[in-house]
Amino acid sequence: MSSVPRPALAIIGGSGFYDFFGDDAVSLEVDTPYGAPSAPITVGEVEGRQVAFLPRHGRKHEFSPHTVPYQANLWALRSIGVRRIFAPCAVGSLRADWGPGTVAVPDQLVDRTSGRPQTYFDNGGIHVSFADPYCDELRGAATRSAVPELPLKSAATMVVVQGPRFSTRAESRWFAAQGWELVNMTGFPEAVLARELEMCYAAIALVTDLDAGLEAGEGVSAAAVFAAFEQNLVPFKRLVRHAVAAVEGTDTCASCRVHAGVSLPFELP
């Protein structure tokens, strides 16, 4: 069992991140009390560190945003030793001046999803601090990792919608009027589940489109989103690599240790 890798850092992202690793990467099948994760976890070396990679939507993009097994994904990562997670993702922009190719490191989150299991604590009266939903240490590493091709914004509020449909024009105008900058379909409950398991977590968001209410025409299409993501994937992956290299320490930071002094109804993996 000593040969089983124990990576402290993980990336939850798309299939384009598989080539982060060389031929010596290993694949781990992990089971959890919440079923199987989206796919086997790949572990390899990135910038001199052991890093785990989990494709959020599965290896063949078989999971829609509302069907991703978020509980299993986060539990599986924690169980193999992960304590810090970067979550690169595609987002729509709610600001006309943040066009496709902009990268933002969110500092706030608004949940507009429904019906998604969003906690491990269905009993025991456990309440988790979530005022600041992202780890400041990981956010700092990400914001120090800009690349010339992609303008970087060091703070943003990301609203997470249920999907899989895109927003109506009225919805995106409403979101923008609240002062929110980004819209996404997968950032919740991923962030809160990481917090409940005392893992540091930070999203790194790549803008692929202006949301429907901000421009005339047909609105957002899946084909355009995928094309914009693919167009910027090479520099985006380089930015994430830089962020991995910039992380200091391997354990959960003090701010993300939210269960101090609390008796949990079960032991964390």
Side-chain angles (χ1 to χ4, degrees):
M1 295 297 292
S2 60
S3 62
V4 176
R6 297 284 293 177
L9 183 64
I11 295 167
I12 303 177
S15 58
F17 284 83
Y18 271 111
D19 60 6
F20 256 41
F21 305 111
D23 295 336
D24 58 344
V26 299
S27 181
L28 302 180
E29 298 273 357
V30 183
D31 196 16
T32 82
Y34 303 93
S38 297
I41 299 170
T42 302
V43 180
E45 188 172 298
V46 178
E47 301 297 327
R49 299 170 181 258
Q50 272 204 336
V51 176
F53 171 70
L54 180 59
R56 181 184 290 113
H57 295 282
R59 281 183 166 168
K60 298 180 180 179
H61 212 96
E62 58 266 40
F63 292 102
S64 293
H66 64 295
T67 64
V68 169
Y70 295 102
Q71 289 171 305
N73 286 352
L74 276 299
W75 190 279
L77 290 172
R78 166 95 190 187
S79 73
I80 66 167
V82 170
R83 296 296 181 268
R84 297 187 163 198
I85 298 170
F86 282 121
C89 58
V91 297
S93 173
L94 296 166
R95 292 182 51 149
D97 57 336
W98 290 17
T102 301
V103 170
V105 181
D107 62 329
Q108 278 297 317
L109 177 153
V110 176
D111 171 31
R112 292 290 302 168
T113 66
S114 62
R116 301 183 184 188
Q118 58 177 278
T119 184
Y120 295 106
F121 300 113
D122 288 324
N123 57 68
I126 305 301
H127 305 278
V128 172
S129 175
F130 203 53
D132 298 301
Y134 302 107
C135 171
D136 278 342
E137 289 190 13
L138 291 189
R139 289 187 60 253
T143 56
R144 294 193 300 272
S145 303
V147 297
E149 301 95 320
L150 306 175
L152 188 143
K153 310 298 181 182
S154 61
T157 296
M158 183 166 74
V159 55
V160 184
V161 298
Q162 178 70 356
R165 69 170 179 86
F166 294 115
S167 302
T168 67
R169 296 187 193 281
E171 287 168 336
S172 59
R173 286 194 296 266
W174 173 40
F175 298 156
Q178 306 311 304
W180 308 335
E181 289 91 358
L182 308 172
V183 60
N184 166 265
M185 296 181 188
T186 59
F188 190 89
E190 203 169 82
V192 72
L193 293 173
R195 181 64 54 86
E196 286 192 344
L197 293 180
E198 292 195 329
M199 292 190 289
C200 297
Y201 176 98
I204 307 176
L206 174 65
V207 173
T208 57
D209 59 273
L210 295 179
D211 217 49
L214 302 186
E215 60 179 355
E218 296 181 359
V220 184
S221 73
V225 167
F226 292 139
F229 192 81
E230 186 65 30
Q231 179 180 350
N232 292 292
L233 185 57
V234 170
F236 189 48
K237 286 192 294 186
R238 192 163 70 251
L239 187 154
V240 176
R241 278 184 173 275
H242 292 174
V244 167
V247 172
E248 298 176 359
T250 57
D251 206 354
T252 307
C253 75
S255 296
C256 296
R257 293 182 181 273
V258 291
H259 299 311
V262 176
S263 295
L264 300 180
F266 56 81
E267 202 171 313
L268 298 184

